Amino acid sequence: GAGAGAGAGAGAGAGAGGVSFCELLEQEGSSGVGRAQVIISHAWKENFLHVVQSLEEHFRSSSSSPFLWFDLFSINQHQSPKSPLQGWSSNFAETKRTVLVLTPWDHPLPLARSWCLFELFLTARTGSKLEVAMSEEDEKRLWEELPLESYTKMIGEIDVERSETSEEEDKELILAMVRKEVDGIAGMNQLVQERMRDWLVRTAEEKLLRVEDGDQVERRMKLADLYKMQGRLEDAEQLYK
């Protein structure tokens, strides 16, 4: 459903502890499995049905049915996390498209989870496209109820060192990999923050300027305030006029 299939390709490796669900389907010759075209990033603490609903909403208008790399199904969950880490970056470079499930709308769990931040980092580093999936209700409430200043502040506080994982070992593996990068942890935080700010501005422009219903003046002022917070003073001035 939701215009998508299960992606077996990137990152689904077999090991002594068995195979991933996608590999099992592949072995059985299922047509519902193939090389991943989109990577799904989500927090395991999220309500799973909410994650599925958000993805269904996101892919509802898709003209194709892309194969999704979804960790629960694409990775052998009985295997040590050290193995998929080795090829993690190449997975993102291959698919070039990441969909982040951002829930709940008022306090997104992924922004505080180590794996999600690492996936956002790889999305940015490989120049992949970042999309955000939310349920229809969450998206509506986000743009109607949440001050954009709060989201901007939340994004500015992203810090992989203060993030959480279910297993502390996973976080140490991630931090060790990031420390080897040229700009280290500070560079990762900055890169992730920039990509999330870009998403916020890009989506705000779409939601606040291109939607016909509602108070257009209020929408323009809201976007102008966001431009101002981002330091885009000339763009803000044009909307304030």
Side-chain angles (χ1 to χ4, degrees), residues 72-96:
L72 292 173
F73 309 108
S74 299
I75 291 180
N76 177 1
Q77 298 300 322
H78 300 288
Q79 200 175 47
S80 166
K82 295 179 183 178
S83 179
L85 269 175
Q86 303 306 318
W88 217 256
S89 183
S90 61
N91 298 343
F92 286 79
E94 180 180 337
T95 60
K96 284 291 186 180

Side-chain angles (χ1 to χ4, degrees), residues 130-167:
L130 174 63
E131 302 170 24
V132 170
M134 304 178 77
S135 68
E136 184 176 13
E137 180 63 24
D138 272 7
E139 190 171 31
K140 181 180 179 181
R141 293 179 67 186
L142 167 63
W143 296 107
E144 289 184 356
E145 299 181 27
L146 187 66
L148 294 179
E149 184 177 358
S150 299
Y151 243 60
T152 300
K153 182 175 183 292
M154 202 182 308
I155 290 171
E157 293 175 347
I158 289 174
D159 185 352
V160 68
E161 283 193 299
R162 293 193 290 117
S163 64
E164 300 176 348
T165 53
S166 300
E167 301 291 337

Side-chain angles (χ1 to χ4, degrees), residues 89-90 92-94 96 98 121-128 195:
S89 183
S90 61
F92 286 79
E94 180 180 337
K96 284 291 186 180
T98 302
F121 167 65
L122 292 179
T123 297
R125 195 180 69 171
T126 57
S128 300
R195 287 307 296 269

Side-chain angles (χ1 to χ4, degrees), residues 28-79:
E28 294 176 348
S30 172
S31 61
V33 67
R35 295 298 298 178
Q37 298 166 302
V38 183
I39 289 180
I40 303 301
S41 179
H42 70 104
W44 279 31
K45 277 191 172 183
E46 292 171 307
N47 181 297
F48 186 72
L49 288 179
H50 201 164
V51 171
V52 172
Q53 290 168 356
S54 298
L55 291 173
E56 286 180 335
E57 181 64 31
H58 186 77
F59 288 105
R60 191 180 305 281
S61 60
S62 178
S63 58
S64 61
S65 298
F67 286 106
L68 308 182
W69 188 96
F70 200 126
D71 56 1
L72 292 173
F73 309 108
S74 299
I75 291 180
N76 177 1
Q77 298 300 322
H78 300 288
Q79 200 175 47

Side-chain angles (χ1 to χ4, degrees), residues 192-217:
V192 171
Q193 290 170 8
E194 287 175 355
R195 287 307 296 269
M196 289 304 298
R197 288 192 188 101
D198 288 345
W199 162 77
L200 185 63
V201 171
R202 187 175 70 248
T203 310
E205 290 171 341
E206 178 182 335
K207 299 297 180 183
L208 301 179
L209 289 184
R210 301 176 192 173
V211 178
E212 297 298 328
D213 61 325
D215 188 331
Q216 289 298 309
V217 174

